[in-house]
Amino acid sequence: MHPILEQVTEQVVARSRDTRAAYLARIDAAIANGPHRTNLPCANLAHGFAVCSAVEKEELSHSPKANVGIISAYNDMLSAHEPYKDYPALIKQAVREAGGVAQFAGGVPAMCDGITQGMPGMELSLFSRDVIAMSTAIGLSHNMFDAALYLGVCDKIVPGLLIGALSFGHLPAVFVPAGPMTSGLSNKDKSRARQKFAEGKIGEKELLESESKSYHGPGTCTFYGTANSNQMMVEIMGLHLPGSSFVNPYTPLRDELTKAAAKQVLKFTALGNDFRPIAHVIDEKAIINAIIGLLATGGSTNHTIHLIAIARAAGIIINWDDFDNLSKVIPLLTKIYPNGPADVNQFHAAGGMGLLISELLDHGLLHGDILTIGDQRGMAQYSQVPKLEGGQLHWEQGPTSSLDQQVIGSVAKPFAAGGGLHVMHGNLGRGVSKISAVAEEHQVVTAPAMVFDDQLDVVAAFKRGELEKDVIVVLRFQGPKANGMPELHKLTPIMGLLQDKGFKVGLLTDGRMSGASGKVPSAIHMWPECIEGGPLAKVHNGDIIVMNTQTGEVNVQIDPAEFAARVAEPNHATGHHFGMGRELFGAMRAQASTAETGATNLFFVD
């Protein structure tokens, strides 16, 4: 085991000792009560299985049969979640064949960031994570279940489901993926069309045709954004069946993996002899593994928020320093768009999760001794890949070296010596930067600031030609307390176009970028956020800013006394366009100020 990995893990364990113990004590108390439905009064239990068959009613009331709750984020507007429409029937049949009962416990909302990008609805996106967590807990609150299956893929959905699942940590849990859509128009060609549209070289008809060829059917979008980072993260923590994250939907293998996941969770209930509640699966080492996977693949910056909240839901305290310290020793091993031209299907074909995990384990860069939902207990089995032969599902050893070295590298020959995410710091606060997609010649920018308070104003300035120069766009008042911390991916095409024209450009904001955002250097999630008097709010037009994503430094070049005087002044925003997010979050400011006390709290940034 690499000594830095050991050191960071020991620090997290020590930092979390009291909160983790309190969480496990609460879980142990729930476990001690046994299957909760046995304690339900007769009328309550009758309500709980009213629509079950006579056999199932008998089994749930008088025999030690396990009842599996299904929590699903299905809707048919999200391509990634559309395949889930058939899962409940598959799951119920598989559970019945394995000797249990399954009930659809509840649905959770699932919004698409791709649809709401740049629109007022995006201001609700981050908040939806906590709504999903609460909805998950509500679905499980009937105390009818011995285990649970969680059906979700996209950005806020998996973190929300996981936070909710951990609040019912006494139940075994398996997460069930749906898989990516087949490859369509390449992500590179899609990006090129967006930039042409920004230049006025093509119209909306041509742009829509391009987008529709890229997002063309059921399954997850094929770029490596937050949704696919979710799938990587859940598998590397041991909550997916090995090798199941990136199998396409509506294939025989995908259906058999779904059935196998349903049967697998039955093995781990308190009614058997191999009890594995999710509270025991998600421990400090599992959380560290998720960070490592994120760094090794150049995954979504959104997880520098979500993983902190997920960990806290399990009584574990991590922070950005842990990401930063691990980033110094975890190499970048993959090139998946926006970090490279390949999509997740090509990543899967090159060796996928099995090869990634094997490479990290072989070099002491991943905890192998964690509890998982695989047949064995450690991570070694996750180097295997699922196969379907003669209608029978089995696992065999996956490749031991990359099948496409342009997509998956090795520890000996990584794409970069350090991880794809860096923590930024300086006199403008702290933030994060995803550098895995930024070419080396663009990783250090010194340029004058142009200050905006709304992304639509940035777009308008671009259309007027005001950004045709070296510039660092400072976009303020985009944090969680201001307007819900919307993603600002709408700015990616225009910033990329400016960079392609030879200008030195960067983005500095207390808001978020999409997991799909790429080649333009940025420092995002800047904290303290502007609405709380963060120093970013005091930047003026023309101030020279130095952004060095290699060293993690971001500073405004100004006399310290002058800047201290600015910071002491009240905020003067010049053009807030707060929509529904502002109205919603106005009622949640008190919660925001007590972020340290609750796991299901989206304001827990650092």
Side-chain angles (χ1 to χ4, degrees):
M1 190 65 62
H2 194 285
I4 296 297
L5 175 53
E6 287 186 333
Q7 179 183 1
V8 171
T9 304
E10 289 169 1
Q11 290 170 346
V12 171
V13 170
R15 189 188 309 140
S16 309
R17 186 166 287 111
D18 292 343
T19 51
R20 179 67 174 168
Y23 170 74
L24 290 176
R26 176 166 64 84
I27 296 305
D28 289 343
I31 291 171
N33 290 331
H36 286 262
R37 67 176 176 278
T38 60
N39 300 319
L40 292 176
C42 293
N44 302 56
L45 184 57
H47 277 290
F49 59 39
V51 299
C52 292
S53 68
V55 172
E56 289 172 333
K57 290 178 181 179
E58 179 68 21
E59 290 172 341
L60 292 178
S61 56
H62 296 298
S63 67
K65 286 290 183 77
N67 189 23
V68 178
I70 304 168
I71 301 289
S72 175
Y74 163 74
N75 68 51
D76 60 10
M77 184 180 63
L78 272 71
S79 63
H81 288 201
E82 189 275 343
Y84 283 136
K85 71 177 186 298
D86 299 325
Y87 277 35
L90 283 175
I91 288 169
K92 288 182 179 183
Q93 179 62 33
V95 170
R96 190 176 302 116
E97 291 172 358
V101 177
Q103 290 183 291
F104 192 91
V108 303
M111 66 182 292
C112 177
D113 288 2
I115 297 172
T116 58
Q117 200 66 246
M119 307 300 291
M122 173 52 75
E123 295 180 359
L124 300 182
S125 174
L126 190 53
F127 175 70
S128 75
R129 188 199 71 194
D130 289 3
V131 174
I132 292 162
M134 289 184 282
S135 300
T136 299
I138 290 169
L140 297 173
S141 67
H142 299 96
N143 290 335
M144 287 286 294
F145 308 112
D146 302 281
L149 295 168
Y150 299 91
L151 282 52
V153 174
C154 286
D155 298 20
K156 315 308 169 298
I157 293 93
V158 167
L161 289 171
L162 190 45
I163 290 169
L166 287 165
S167 71
F168 279 74
H170 60 286
L171 297 178
V174 171
F175 279 64
V176 188
M181 69 175 70
T182 56
S183 300
L185 181 73
S186 74
N187 287 295
K188 186 175 182 179
D189 288 341
K190 175 191 67 180
S191 178
R192 186 180 295 115
R194 289 177 178 178
Q195 288 196 190
K196 286 183 177 180
F197 179 75
E199 290 179 277
K201 293 181 177 179
I202 63 172
E204 288 189 353
K205 180 180 178 181
E206 293 83 359
L207 179 62
L208 181 57
E209 181 180 355
S210 168
E211 298 287 350
S212 298
K213 287 179 179 179
S214 180
Y215 308 116
H216 63 87
T220 316
C221 305
T222 60
F223 59 82
Y224 192 56
T226 310
N228 286 315
S229 295
N230 281 338
Q231 303 311 294
M232 174 283 302
M233 180 181 75
V234 173
E235 182 160 342
I236 210 166
M237 289 194 294
L239 287 173
H240 277 172
L241 287 175
S244 65
S245 295
F246 299 115
V247 176
N248 300 124
Y250 296 111
T251 60
L253 179 56
R254 176 82 276 160
D255 287 346
E256 290 305 314
L257 285 167
T258 299
K259 295 174 187 176
K263 295 176 180 178
Q264 192 77 358
V265 78
L266 287 174
K267 300 176 182 179
F268 305 136
T269 73
L271 300 172
N273 56 10
D274 190 10
F275 184 41
R276 302 188 199 179
I278 189 174
H280 295 174
V281 174
I282 301 301
D283 62 5
E284 295 90 343
K285 291 182 178 180
I287 293 292
I288 294 293
N289 277 5
I291 298 175
I292 291 168
L294 194 70
L295 297 171
T297 58
S300 172
T301 52
N302 281 319
H303 284 303
T304 63
I305 296 174
H306 296 319
L307 269 173
I308 291 172
I310 291 165
R312 181 58 66 95
I316 298 165
I317 302 172
I318 60 173
N319 57 44
W320 284 351
D321 292 333
D322 301 320
F323 288 80
D324 201 39
N325 290 332
L326 288 169
S327 184
K328 294 178 174 65
V329 299
I330 301 299
L332 180 65
L333 298 180
T334 71
K335 280 284 188 181
I336 320 169
Y337 189 87
N339 306 332
D343 65 17
V344 292
N345 292 311
Q346 292 167 289
F347 164 71
H348 188 65
M353 289 299 300
L355 178 58
L356 175 70
I357 289 169
S358 176
E359 186 71 8
L360 291 168
L361 284 174
D362 288 348
H363 290 85
L365 295 174
L366 192 72
H367 289 295
D369 57 339
I370 66 171
L371 185 63
T372 71
I373 59 91
D375 283 335
Q376 290 96 45
R377 291 199 160 216
M379 284 301 296
Q381 64 194 305
Y382 281 78
S383 64
Q384 298 178 342
V385 295
K387 298 288 184 179
L388 193 60
E389 295 181 1
Q392 297 297 311
L393 179 66
H394 71 281
W395 275 260
E396 60 186 44
Q397 185 59 43
T400 56
S401 61
S402 178
L403 303 180
D404 187 341
Q405 295 182 5
Q406 301 302 310
V407 181
I408 303 179
S410 64
V411 173
K413 293 183 179 181
F415 296 109
L421 301 175
H422 285 184
V423 172
M424 304 294 289
H425 55 86
N427 63 7
L428 293 176
R430 299 185 80 208
V432 297
S433 181
K434 179 177 178 177
I435 68 166
S436 53
V438 180
E440 186 174 354
E441 63 267 25
H442 298 307
Q443 291 177 1
V444 181
V445 180
T446 300
M450 284 191 70
V451 180
F452 301 90
D453 293 338
D454 190 283
Q455 62 177 318
L456 299 180
D457 292 339
V458 181
V459 175
F462 169 81
K463 291 179 177 178
R464 293 192 300 266
E466 296 171 3
L467 300 181
E468 299 272 331
K469 57 186 178 181
D470 292 354
V471 63
I472 291 182
V473 170
V474 175
L475 185 51
R476 314 180 305 174
F477 301 101
Q478 303 300 307
K481 296 181 185 179
N483 64 348
M485 208 177 188
E487 287 185 352
L488 304 167
H489 188 57
K490 187 181 183 73
L491 303 181
T492 297
I494 63 174
M495 297 294 290
L497 177 59
L498 293 170
Q499 182 174 274
D500 288 348
K501 287 184 174 183
F503 298 116
K504 296 183 182 297
V505 298
L507 177 67
L508 186 55
T509 180
D510 55 352
R512 295 184 298 129
M513 293 298 284
S514 166
S517 301
K519 64 183 185 181
V520 175
S522 62
I524 61 177
H525 306 180
M526 292 301 292
W527 182 87
E529 66 173 288
C530 292
I531 204 169
E532 290 291 294
L536 188 63
K538 312 304 180 176
V539 173
H540 292 176
N541 285 324
D543 286 346
I544 300 299
I545 293 176
V546 179
M547 181 189 300
N548 188 329
T549 61
Q550 295 175 348
T551 63
E553 294 173 290
V554 57
N555 292 287
V556 58
Q557 292 187 333
I558 190 172
D559 178 74
E562 179 185 345
F563 194 57
R566 285 191 199 176
V567 171
E569 295 174 355
N571 282 334
H572 296 289
T574 59
H576 288 66
H577 295 279
F578 292 129
M580 61 181 75
R582 175 59 171 166
E583 296 174 6
L584 179 65
F585 280 91
M588 298 186 66
R589 297 290 295 282
Q591 183 186 11
S593 67
T594 57
E596 295 284 343
T597 64
T600 57
N601 187 318
L602 78 87
F603 302 105
F604 194 172
V605 176
D606 190 30

